[in-house]
Amino acid sequence: MQFALRYDLRNPPQWRRPFDQHYAHFLNQVAWADEHGFSRVTLSEHHFSEDGYIPSLMTVAAAVAARTKHLQIALNLVLLPLKHPVQVAEDTAIVDIISGGRMQLMLGAGYRNAEFDGYGISMKQRGGRMEEGVEIIRRCWEQEEFSFEGRYWSLKNVRVMPKPVQKPRPQILMGGSSSAAARRAARIGDGFQPTVPRVMKAWREEMIRLGKDPGPEPSPPQPDDPRPPASFLHIARDPKAAWKVIGPHALYETNSYALWTQDRGGSASPYSASDDPDTLLAAGTYGVLTPDEAVALGKRMEERSPSAGFVFHPMMGGMPLELGQESLELVVNEVVPHFKG
């Protein structure tokens, strides 16, 4: 049973705290989690968001690497079309070195018009920039020196040093929510982690067409499968009281993502607009459990899959910092001990 954290470090205007305090709490919290048995921290990236959604993923990842010793640091995901691929290769190599090989890289094409407009890049170039960018990153890590001539990048005598710690190189995972992203991941990626499960079919079909092994086909989900809330899980002694505080922050998060989904033409997303926080609980996307309920759910999940786990988002939507920390302490003191060994 795994216990993990994720952060986007949104700091909404209506609940804003000084950003230096916001980031200091975050780094102290991941250092604490590293000492208390959490296995992974996932960091997400977006740009030009009024709430300060992490715009500089590599900088944050390097800070986490310097403050921790055990946590896997998952970059989920880097918006590659907005970046120079050589710089991505160099930055991720340094994060991998600082962390001692704990860095996990996931790349995505992005979907927000505002981000591409702000960087002066056409959305129509996403696919091509992804294809060339992944190839360049591979060469940066695998070759001592190379040149590259493509549609978007013309590079001469590239020599990236130092190389990552992971050998032969870190995996290049890919994310996405469309069939096109799934097929692209099959062609050029080392793995695919979609935001919506239904596109895994397109990935598997493309892997087989290319003569690649997609691995065993997962069993289809059953209605009675135990699963945690899809977007947010919180542990509290009094779930109703906790949700009363958390609810407005959950609405802020889900409505923000729903608005961005409209920006990409209404394609698949796990988030839907709402004006009632209780609908989020009823839909199973957000949830608050007591420690005993979390243990019971975790045991059922573990029976179905030994690699099952809980992911916590303790700074979600600008929620009170002390509330998120209280949840994590309950996890460590009253949930984790039931799964040791």
Side-chain angles (χ1 to χ4, degrees), residues 136-295:
I136 290 168
I137 292 171
R138 285 182 187 275
R139 293 194 188 187
C140 285
W141 290 344
E142 293 177 351
Q143 300 178 13
E144 290 302 311
E145 185 175 309
F146 71 95
S147 296
F148 180 90
E149 193 66 40
R151 181 177 180 182
Y152 303 103
W153 305 106
S154 179
L155 313 174
K156 295 182 180 180
N157 305 322
V158 177
R159 186 179 178 86
V160 167
M161 186 60 65
K163 304 293 188 186
V165 169
Q166 296 180 61
K167 302 301 179 188
R169 60 165 174 78
Q171 283 190 314
I172 300 176
L173 305 177
M174 301 185 71
S177 59
S178 68
S179 295
R183 290 190 291 269
R184 184 187 304 119
R187 290 195 307 274
I188 65 175
D190 297 321
F192 183 49
Q193 295 183 16
T195 54
V196 286
R198 63 173 177 77
V199 298
M200 282 298 293
K201 179 181 178 181
W203 177 81
R204 292 185 60 84
E205 290 175 348
E206 184 69 4
M207 289 284 287
I208 293 170
R209 189 187 73 80
L210 294 170
K212 299 180 179 180
D213 181 10
E217 186 166 4
S219 302
Q222 301 299 317
D224 61 343
D225 282 351
R227 58 176 63 89
S231 299
F232 174 84
L233 174 61
H234 184 88
I235 307 302
R237 297 199 186 283
D238 186 341
K240 289 184 178 179
W243 183 246
K244 187 174 182 179
V245 178
I246 294 168
H249 302 274
L251 284 179
Y252 173 84
E253 179 184 71
T254 197
N255 289 336
S256 295
Y257 278 123
L259 186 62
W260 289 357
T261 299
Q262 293 177 13
D263 187 40
R264 62 177 171 180
S267 57
S269 169
Y271 295 91
S272 301
S274 176
D275 58 5
D276 179 6
D278 289 342
T279 63
L280 304 179
L281 287 178
T285 51
Y286 291 75
V288 183
L289 303 177
T290 65
D292 289 343
E293 289 171 337
V295 170

Side-chain angles (χ1 to χ4, degrees), residues 38-59:
F38 286 81
S39 61
R40 184 179 74 255
V41 56
T42 296
L43 306 171
S44 302
E45 170 188 328
H46 274 294
H47 300 272
F48 314 127
S49 179
E50 186 181 14
D51 56 23
Y53 200 122
I54 300 174
S56 183
L57 204 56
M58 300 298 180
T59 304

